[in-house]
Amino acid sequence: MKETTLKQRIRAGKLTRADVAKRLAELAYGEANDCTVLVLDPEADIRKLDLSLLSEVKRSEKGAVEVKLLDRLKALEMLTALTEEDGDGMAEFLRALNREEG
């Protein structure tokens, strides 16, 4: 049986619990380096940056820049709730991570 990609499952409306848990973990533990590059390098190619942690960017009239990232604590809380809903959630999440890495 051919394994479907995440994009295919999203389009089909068939996301799994493991898909959601994996994405929450990526958001909770991800690096914000590209968000910094966006603000500091005016010539950065935005198409090549991972801005998934970026929530908001504001630039004042005086040139000051304010960057807001998503709430990692909220992502962790959601991940915890997802994995605690039933005893199988964490095992399914770990299996999905292992499939992606392998």
Side-chain angles (χ1 to χ4, degrees):
M1 180 178 189
K2 182 179 175 186
E3 190 169 324
T4 60
T5 67
L6 177 60
K7 285 184 181 182
Q8 289 170 329
R9 290 191 302 275
I10 290 171
R11 287 187 189 120
K14 297 184 179 186
L15 278 174
T16 66
R17 178 186 213 89
D19 292 330
V20 174
K22 182 178 184 313
R23 186 62 181 142
L24 284 171
E26 289 170 350
L27 294 172
Y29 296 105
E31 294 181 4
N33 297 351
D34 284 352
C35 298
T36 304
V37 170
L38 174 70
V39 173
L40 297 178
D41 183 0
E43 296 186 22
D45 185 354
I46 195 168
R47 295 170 297 192
K48 294 181 180 178
L49 299 177
D50 176 7
L51 302 175
S52 57
L53 298 178
L54 186 64
S55 175
E56 184 178 336
V57 176
K58 289 183 185 178
R59 185 176 304 270
S60 75
E61 293 175 7
K62 295 181 181 181
V65 178
E66 178 182 340
V67 176
K68 288 186 182 180
L69 302 177
L70 70 83
D71 185 344
R72 290 177 188 259
L73 184 57
K74 185 70 172 173
L76 282 170
E77 289 172 352
M78 293 172 73
L79 180 60
T80 301
L82 182 67
T83 57
E84 288 180 348
E85 283 180 10
D86 65 358
D88 222 23
M90 184 55 81
E92 184 180 348
F93 169 62
L94 293 173
R95 280 192 300 275
L97 279 179
N98 288 331
R99 272 196 311 265
E100 297 273 332
E101 291 174 1

